[in-house]
């Protein structure tokens, strides 16, 4: 049975063409800086996001961690969203490894942080307080794309308050494709940016952290310390290059399918979907809590996997095609007719 896995865009398998690129990748020892494919990926990535330099890291989590460790010293503070990946979903790494205190703030419904609320959280210069050093934004945030004007304002705000500005751009290219802009236009507002190769771009492993030459040099030492110095990583970097060269424009297809999926699901009694909120590849579906378990079990019988906390989350990606969308909608329609609320 074909499995339609909508839990995340991390589940993509490398395509045959990507595997061929990996197979023939020239490699060397990247800890010596001698892997030509890693070097090529880092140059390409830096160029795509308009930064002086970039470093290849195993995960987005490590990319964000290194960024915080470079921007902040022990006893400093970073401000991030309450649901931000770099605060909530990275096991407290910045606090554990860097002794950097997080200051979470609730996201607004559009995925931004209200800059007036951020300002109110910046600590005064007083020895009672940690030193607020860094503001982290996320784009896309739960599938939402941050407005360019907001990011421009955030950049000015950060400069005014002497803060560094980091973008957790795990799905940066989804944002850029959705807005029809060059990714550089977004990343230009930030001192540093991380993005994932292993999500919608379809690489099996890997993320990029980019910034100034000095920033990346310092990130290099932290990466080594965190155990992220990889050897013949060109095999992985080749997948990343392939992804950046071949899989960016096609994100628009994922976005189109997500929208079709949202519209299909919105027409089913018992489900509610804010179709207008679907800007990229994520669809969030409200369902009665008692129905959630039975409906997920029902669609699983048809080989369809969905996830999420509370709301259902369905994510389109490289391994989801046009025919899958009506199959998923039909499975949900049948599930809502059949399932009784459980406990
Ligand atoms: C996935 C993700 C990351 C990084 O995740 P890894 O699994 O460590 O690669 C960071 N931020 C956001 C918003 C993400 O969605």
């Amino acid at each position: 049975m074909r499995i339609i896995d909508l839990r995340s865009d991390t589940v993509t398998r490398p395509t045959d063409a990507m595997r061929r690129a990996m197979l023939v990748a020239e490699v060397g020892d990247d800890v010596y800086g001698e892997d030509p494919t890693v070097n090529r990926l880092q140059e390409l990535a830096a160029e795509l996001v308009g930064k002086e330099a970039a470093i290849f890291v195993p995960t987005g989590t490590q990319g964000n961690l290194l960024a915080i460790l470079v921007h902040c010293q022990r006893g400093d503070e970073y401000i991030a969203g309450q649901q931000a990946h770099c605060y909530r979903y990275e096991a407290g790494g910045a606090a554990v490894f860097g002794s950097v205190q997080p200051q979470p703030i609730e996201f607004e419904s559009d995925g931004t942080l209200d800059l007036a609320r951020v300002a109110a959280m910046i600590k005064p210069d007083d020895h009672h307080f940690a030193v607020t050093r860094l503001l982290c934004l996320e784009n896309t945030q739960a599938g939402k794309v941050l407005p360019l004007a907001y990011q421009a304002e955030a950049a000015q705000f950060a400069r005014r308050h002497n803060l560094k500005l980091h973008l957790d751009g795990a799905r940066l290219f989804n944002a850029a494709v959705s807005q029809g802009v060059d990714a550089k236009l977004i990343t230009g507002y930030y001192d540093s940016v991380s993005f994932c190769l292993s999500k919608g771009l379809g690489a099996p492993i890997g993320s990029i952290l980019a910034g100034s030459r000095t920033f990346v040099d310092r990130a290099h030492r932290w990466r080594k310390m965190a155990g992220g110095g990889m050897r013949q990583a060109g095999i992985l970097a080749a997948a990343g290059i392939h992804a950046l060269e071949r899989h960016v424009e096609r994100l628009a297809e994922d976005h189109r399918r997500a929208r079709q999926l949202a519209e299909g699901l919105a027409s089913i009694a018992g489900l509610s979907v804010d179709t207008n909120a679907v800007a990229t590849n994520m669809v969030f579906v409200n369902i009665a809590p008692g129905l959630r378990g039975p409906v997920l079990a029902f669609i699983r019988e048809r080989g369809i996997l969905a996830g999420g906390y509370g709301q259902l989350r369905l994510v389109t990606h490289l391994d989801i095609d046009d025919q899958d969308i009506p199959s998923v909608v039909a499975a949900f329609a049948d599930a809502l007719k059949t399932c009784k609320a459980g406990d």
Side-chain angles (χ1 to χ4, degrees):
M1 179 170 55
R2 174 172 164 77
I3 301 295
I4 303 175
D5 193 344
L6 296 159
R7 289 171 303 168
S8 178
D9 47 10
T10 56
V11 301
T12 54
R13 309 290 210 291
T15 60
D16 289 344
M18 182 179 278
R19 285 175 192 265
R20 277 196 296 281
M22 296 171 77
L23 184 67
V24 301
E26 246 189 284
V27 296
D29 191 329
D30 182 51
V31 171
Y32 297 143
E34 289 174 0
D35 189 302
T37 311
V38 171
N39 292 340
R40 196 149 63 81
L41 169 63
Q42 291 174 164
E43 281 157 28
L44 171 64
E47 147 74 26
L48 287 174
V49 297
K51 298 291 176 205
E52 281 174 9
I55 182 170
F56 182 47
V57 289
T59 62
T61 298
Q62 189 174 101
N64 285 333
L65 175 65
L66 304 190
I68 296 170
L69 294 179
V70 173
H71 289 308
C72 302
Q73 302 295 310
R74 184 163 186 255
D76 286 351
E77 175 182 81
Y78 71 105
I79 296 176
Q82 184 68 250
Q83 304 296 331
H85 204 282
C86 71
Y87 164 59
R88 179 160 300 228
Y89 296 99
E90 295 180 2
V96 174
F97 297 117
S99 301
V100 181
Q101 162 176 287
Q103 170 63 68
I105 297 178
E106 222 46 66
F107 278 122
E108 301 301 304
S109 59
D110 63 358
T112 62
L113 291 175
D114 178 347
L115 297 175
R117 296 178 70 186
V118 174
M121 284 300 178
I122 297 174
K123 309 298 179 282
D125 182 10
D126 173 315
H127 66 238
H128 288 86
F129 303 118
V131 179
T132 311
R133 205 61 93 176
L134 172 67
L135 174 59
C136 299
L137 297 177
E138 199 170 289
N139 192 12
T140 62
Q141 203 286 311
K144 288 168 278 199
V145 180
L146 302 190
L148 293 171
Y150 168 77
Q151 295 173 98
E153 205 188 317
Q156 278 180 5
F157 172 92
R159 260 197 302 280
R160 205 160 58 237
H161 291 276
N162 237 333
L163 303 179
K164 294 292 183 191
L165 188 61
H166 172 67
L167 175 62
D168 177 353
R171 297 184 177 86
L172 165 68
F173 289 96
N174 293 88
V177 165
S178 169
Q179 283 171 321
V181 301
D182 202 315
K184 272 185 236 185
L185 198 69
I186 298 172
T187 53
Y189 298 122
Y190 297 86
D191 295 293
S192 58
V193 53
S194 58
F195 68 83
C196 292
L197 297 162
S198 58
K199 292 190 170 164
L201 297 182
I205 296 172
S207 282
I208 292 289
L209 175 64
S212 70
R213 173 72 54 196
T214 321
F215 170 87
V216 169
D217 282 348
R218 293 175 63 199
H220 226 105
R221 175 167 281 114
W222 283 117
R223 186 186 70 173
K224 186 70 188 141
M225 205 187 298
M230 299 183 284
R231 301 293 178 174
Q232 285 71 34
I235 291 185
L236 301 174
I241 293 169
H242 186 88
L244 287 172
E245 289 178 345
R246 314 288 170 90
H247 292 170
V248 172
E249 294 306 317
R250 65 151 306 286
L251 292 172
E253 293 175 34
D254 297 343
H255 301 172
R256 174 176 56 75
R257 290 185 188 116
R259 186 158 272 278
Q260 285 166 352
L261 182 59
E263 282 160 7
L265 295 176
S267 69
I268 297 171
L271 299 180
S272 86
V273 184
D274 181 357
T275 52
N276 289 325
V278 180
T280 57
N281 65 336
M282 290 191 187
V283 180
F284 292 90
V285 182
N286 295 306
I287 183 167
L291 273 175
R292 190 192 144 87
V295 165
L296 284 178
F298 183 97
I299 62 169
R300 181 176 278 268
E301 287 293 307
R302 298 215 188 154
I304 298 165
L305 307 179
Y309 303 95
Q311 288 178 312
L312 302 177
R313 189 183 80 161
L314 293 90
V315 187
T316 55
H317 52 73
L318 197 54
D319 293 350
I320 301 296
D321 58 30
D322 279 334
Q323 291 94 294
D324 292 334
I325 304 304
S327 310
V328 173
V329 173
F332 269 96
D334 290 346
L336 268 291
K337 270 185 231 138
T338 312
C339 294
K340 301 273 171 290
D343 46 345

